[in-house]
Amino acid sequence: MAVLDVLSPEIKSQLVLELTQLVSDDVVPRILAQQEIDFFKAKEAANYLNVSYDSFKRIRKQGLIIGFLLKGTSIRRYRKSELDDYLKESEERL
């Protein structure tokens, strides 16, 4: 017997409402905030790497950072993990 089976329909309904509110108030904003941290626009990526935008464009043209296109658009984003990998490789080359 599942735990929820012992609850009345009214209590189940209240539980669903409270969980929905909790998810929308707490969980969703945290997921969105994390997502915003994990993906950068080109200028944000340049700032994260502490290089000028022009330097970032050169790095990109050299294929050292690739990024990805948002589906169905020409908008490019860069994963934080890719930028971190580039920084680590740059340090190793020194």
Side-chain angles (χ1 to χ4, degrees), residues 53-91:
Y53 181 62
D54 289 336
S55 294
F56 180 77
K57 289 192 295 186
R58 281 192 294 277
I59 293 166
R60 188 179 61 204
K61 285 181 184 178
Q62 293 171 352
L64 300 173
I65 294 175
I66 298 168
F68 64 96
L69 292 174
L70 296 178
K71 188 175 181 177
T73 72
S74 61
I75 299 170
R76 188 168 295 277
R77 293 291 183 264
Y78 303 88
R79 286 184 177 87
K80 182 180 181 291
S81 59
E82 181 183 16
L83 301 176
D84 289 338
D85 290 345
Y86 171 78
L87 287 172
K88 183 178 178 183
E89 291 169 10
S90 294
E91 289 173 1

Side-chain angles (χ1 to χ4, degrees), residues 12-71:
K12 286 181 186 178
S13 178
Q14 183 63 31
L15 183 59
V16 167
L17 287 173
E18 289 183 25
L19 285 173
T20 302
Q21 189 66 42
L22 175 66
V23 167
S24 64
D25 289 348
D26 184 46
V27 177
V28 171
R30 283 191 289 130
I31 291 171
L32 291 174
Q34 181 64 37
Q35 188 175 25
E36 289 173 11
I37 292 170
D38 288 343
F39 300 99
F40 294 91
K41 297 175 184 177
K43 289 184 179 181
E44 294 168 338
N47 287 336
Y48 182 78
L49 296 175
N50 200 28
V51 299
S52 70
Y53 181 62
D54 289 336
S55 294
F56 180 77
K57 289 192 295 186
R58 281 192 294 277
I59 293 166
R60 188 179 61 204
K61 285 181 184 178
Q62 293 171 352
L64 300 173
I65 294 175
I66 298 168
F68 64 96
L69 292 174
L70 296 178
K71 188 175 181 177

